[in-house]
Amino acid sequence: DCLDYKNADCYELEYIVEGLMYHKPTVYRLGFTIHPKSTTNLLLSFEIENKSWDIDRDGMNNNINKYKIGFEYAPLDSYPIRAGLVYSESVFNAIGPTSMLTLGTGKKFGNIEFDIAMNYSILNYRYIDIFPTLNNYYNSNCNTVSCDEVTESNLTFLTTIKIGF
């Protein structure tokens, strides 16, 4: 009887992992950086990343790309200016791609580095009304009921202080 806490057979813990499986994607990245000789304080970079899975999943993309482009301009004796743009395809068919704009700057004072950055991203998707009039709401989709177009934006500020020893 497992109601008796002194019964040692009741302390066995069984982990059931049936149905729980993680498939690690294959990732390829290709990037390059341009540092023009005419402008020594300018840096341009570009990167493309591809992720693919070897499994078929309903409602999901098995092959997605992410594109990144950025630059840094560092005037002499001043704060550098960094900016970038990231465009990422979505893993889920129901969610649109994500676009992100990044801005930042930083400065080094002896052993201490200080960085400040801002990220702004936009994401679009369709969402079923949270107050449905259907009886069979949980078996419906955007093809059978009206869905709201949602535009989600996110603004993030980041600061970093790094101390070297």
Side-chain angles (χ1 to χ4, degrees), residues 69-119:
I69 187 167
F71 79 91
E72 179 180 83
Y73 177 69
L76 297 175
D77 297 329
S78 184
Y79 294 97
I81 301 167
R82 301 181 197 116
L85 184 62
V86 179
Y87 178 84
S88 179
E89 297 172 347
S90 177
V91 175
F92 302 101
N93 293 337
I95 299 176
T98 303
S99 300
M100 183 186 307
L101 174 67
T102 63
L103 299 170
T105 188
K107 190 73 172 178
K108 187 172 183 177
F109 303 100
N111 297 10
I112 300 172
E113 290 182 48
F114 178 74
D115 284 314
I116 186 167
M118 177 192 80
N119 295 338

Side-chain angles (χ1 to χ4, degrees), residues 127-142 144-147:
Y127 193 79
I128 296 176
D129 189 6
I130 60 172
F131 300 109
T133 57
L134 295 174
N135 293 335
N136 195 6
Y137 171 72
Y138 295 104
N139 292 327
S140 60
N141 59 35
C142 288
T144 59
V145 297
S146 63
C147 290

